[in-house]
Amino acid sequence: MLAAALTGLLTSLLLIDGLGVNLLLCAVVAAVGAGIAARAAGRRLRAWTLVWSGLALALLAVPALYEAGWPALLSTVWAVGLASLALHGGRRWSGVLLALPGLLWQLVPALGWAREGLRGRGGNVRGRVVPVLKGVGVAAVLLAVFGALFASADAAMADVLGSLVPSLEGGELPARVALFVLGLATALGFAHIAAGPRRWDRTRVRPGRARGRMEWALPLTALNLMFGAFAVVQGVVVLGGGESVLERTGMSRSEYARQGFWQLLVITVLTLVVVAVAKRWAPRGTETDRRLARLLLGALCLLTLVVVASALGRMWFYVDASGLTTLRLWVLAVELWLGVVFMLLIAAGLTPSAGWLPRAVVLSAALAAAGYGLIGPDALVAEQNVARFERTGQIDLRNVRGLSADAVPALDRLPGDYRTCALGVVAADLENAGPTPWYADSLAGARAREILAERPPADRLTGREYACDRVGLRHEFTLGG
């Protein structure tokens, strides 16, 4: 209860200013509470618990390192899901997939669980908690009195205390109360799971009714033939013997390579759905049926890898021609992960038992999310576009003007008006945001403020707008970008 209350207090005091180191601090305190509950329930630490917990902590480091909002949100959601999976456990598809959002179903029951626990322990809790609360109250009074005296006596000490103590404003009270309740409920939810996890592995999912061999195998065979034809065409074009094919399309080789990425991405996702549905309704009465299912589904997965490779190659040519953007980087990461999933499906089809597959798929997704966040997508996009400018003298400033503070070190290398235009939006956003407390800042954000303080892109917003006009980017400049 003390750990949960401290989590709620930290959440209300720190998270209102934004994400940063504070999210990691709140998570560590909540993890301590869950660990205490697990130990009291006699649970043992398992290898997969350490794996999921370590990945969750790695994901929570993303907001402390980088400023971009989308990677921070993705990492936070995945971290919460992996923490729930670490406490629930699970190895079957039902156990793994239902454990990821398991915290959501524990938020309200955990409050009742904590209330009943306090009511049952009555005087024992009062004897332990009341002295602690009294000590905290006395410490707060002493720190407030002596802190005020030290701050008034020394300007440097006042600056240090001002950066350490969160600002409390009356208008923020409803938001802080909501954050306190959220932090308290989240910590109690994790503790409730740790004390008595729901065994989602026991959820039985009935297999689909097996279809007839022809009813099932004929569509898959036709689909394999279509995928095979696509693979042959790709091989002909890539190996240089497809001039006649290109003549019929009316495209150059570079135009052909850059065309159709999004369609191939959709094909990859739809194929994954087809494999899941076909596996559910595949005939399995005899060894011949099971062997035919493995053969057709394995061939489809193998041919899908050709589609994945073709999609990645097309996006590579597109990036080489037009530069990298955050959207292009994101879909590249998704396509790479889908390729890994199909390789795992092929490996599962070649092994006697595929009980490892659910955790392997979730592990690959978590590693992909962690890798995407930890590389700093905005910083990577800016670095690639600036390197391309240094190599060719060409840059599409629309690819970099909407990036976060993570991109500032790379964009700082651009010359003159290019630098002023590229940094205009992020400089305006940082100016509007004002000073950021240490607990809500990131490493990249602090570095960006340092660079822009030393070399501001322009003294006036109109100067930044004219700089974009001079380098050929016509737009309407706004404070929000």
Side-chain angles (χ1 to χ4, degrees):
M1 280 301 301
L2 289 175
L6 182 56
T7 303
L9 184 62
L10 289 174
T11 302
S12 64
L13 290 176
L14 305 182
L15 284 186
I16 198 167
D17 293 312
L19 300 182
V21 183
N22 49 19
L23 188 61
L24 193 56
L25 293 175
C26 296
V28 169
V29 179
V32 170
I36 294 171
R39 184 177 180 182
R43 298 190 63 189
R44 293 180 300 172
L45 192 63
R46 301 179 183 273
W48 277 102
T49 303
L50 291 175
V51 171
W52 302 131
S53 301
L55 271 175
L57 288 176
L59 285 160
L60 288 178
V62 172
L65 295 174
Y66 299 106
E67 199 76 10
W70 166 242
L73 176 62
L74 176 68
S75 300
T76 302
V77 171
W78 261 106
V80 172
L82 290 179
S84 176
L85 179 57
L87 295 173
H88 274 105
R91 59 181 61 189
R92 299 164 57 91
W93 281 111
S94 57
V96 172
L97 296 181
L98 291 176
L100 286 171
L103 174 67
L104 298 178
W105 302 308
Q106 297 292 340
L107 293 178
V108 175
L111 295 176
W113 170 69
R115 183 186 60 189
E116 292 300 323
L118 289 175
R119 182 180 300 170
R121 297 180 66 117
N124 188 21
V125 173
R126 191 176 298 110
R128 290 183 179 183
V129 174
V130 171
V132 173
L133 293 178
K134 288 181 178 179
V136 171
V138 172
V141 172
L142 291 175
L143 289 176
V145 172
F146 284 94
L149 291 173
F150 276 121
S152 62
D154 188 278
M157 188 65 177
D159 182 66
V160 171
L161 292 176
S163 63
L164 291 177
V165 179
S167 60
L168 298 177
E169 299 179 5
E172 297 176 346
L173 184 59
R176 291 187 184 277
V177 171
L179 285 173
F180 175 82
V181 173
L182 177 62
L184 178 69
T186 300
L188 287 176
F190 280 130
H192 193 200
I193 296 171
R198 183 168 180 176
R199 301 300 180 185
W200 293 108
D201 273 343
R202 298 173 184 172
T203 304
R204 294 295 177 182
V205 179
R206 292 184 179 181
R209 182 175 64 85
R211 304 293 177 177
R213 186 179 298 177
M214 290 301 297
E215 180 184 358
W216 174 87
L218 185 60
L220 277 185
T221 302
L223 195 59
N224 272 309
L225 290 175
M226 177 172 288
F227 274 62
F230 176 81
V232 170
V233 171
Q234 297 308 294
V236 170
V237 174
V238 170
L239 294 176
E243 297 301 331
S244 60
V245 175
L246 294 176
E247 287 177 3
R248 293 191 186 97
T249 64
M251 298 180 180
S252 66
R253 188 175 295 274
S254 60
E255 290 172 338
Y256 179 83
R258 295 196 300 269
Q259 178 248 358
F261 169 83
W262 296 104
Q263 293 91 325
L264 295 181
L265 178 62
V266 173
I267 289 172
T268 308
V269 175
L270 289 179
T271 306
L272 194 59
V273 176
V274 168
V275 170
V277 171
K279 177 68 175 143
R280 179 171 171 78
W281 279 283
R284 48 190 174 270
T286 65
E287 180 60 29
T288 302
D289 288 336
R290 292 190 290 271
R291 191 174 300 167
L292 180 62
R294 287 197 298 269
L295 177 64
L296 290 176
L297 292 177
L300 184 59
C301 291
L302 192 61
L303 291 170
T304 305
L305 291 179
V306 178
V307 176
V308 171
S310 178
L312 293 174
R314 290 167 191 243
M315 181 54 76
W316 176 265
F317 278 103
Y318 193 70
V319 168
D320 185 63
S322 305
L324 187 64
T325 65
T326 51
L327 177 60
R328 294 166 192 169
L329 181 61
W330 166 245
V331 295
L332 272 173
V334 171
E335 186 71 20
L336 278 171
W337 173 68
L338 289 172
V340 172
V341 171
F342 278 103
M343 287 190 286
L344 291 174
L345 291 174
I346 294 172
L350 297 176
T351 55
S353 174
W356 52 268
L357 183 61
R359 288 189 290 196
V361 171
V362 173
L363 179 61
S364 68
L367 288 173
Y372 176 78
L374 291 173
I375 62 173
D378 283 16
L380 181 62
V381 168
E383 179 63 36
Q384 193 275 342
N385 280 276
V386 171
R388 182 169 175 267
F389 176 81
E390 292 172 343
R391 186 176 64 254
T392 65
Q394 298 178 349
I395 185 172
D396 188 345
L397 290 173
R398 292 171 298 181
N399 293 347
V400 298
R401 291 197 71 248
L403 298 178
S404 66
D406 304 341
V408 170
L411 299 179
D412 185 53
R413 305 204 314 260
L414 291 172
D417 289 335
Y418 286 96
R419 178 184 181 275
T420 299
C421 180
L423 292 176
V425 174
V426 65
D429 289 341
L430 292 177
E431 288 172 6
N432 293 336
T436 302
W438 67 272
Y439 50 82
D441 204 1
S442 64
L443 187 63
R447 177 59 179 155
R449 289 181 180 86
E450 181 183 342
I451 292 174
L452 294 176
E454 293 176 357
R455 297 180 298 279
D459 294 332
R460 300 169 61 97
L461 296 180
T462 53
R464 298 170 194 168
E465 182 179 359
Y466 293 149
C468 291
D469 292 339
R470 286 193 292 270
V471 295
L473 181 63
R474 298 286 178 178
H475 68 288
E476 182 178 348
F477 188 88
T478 61
L479 289 180

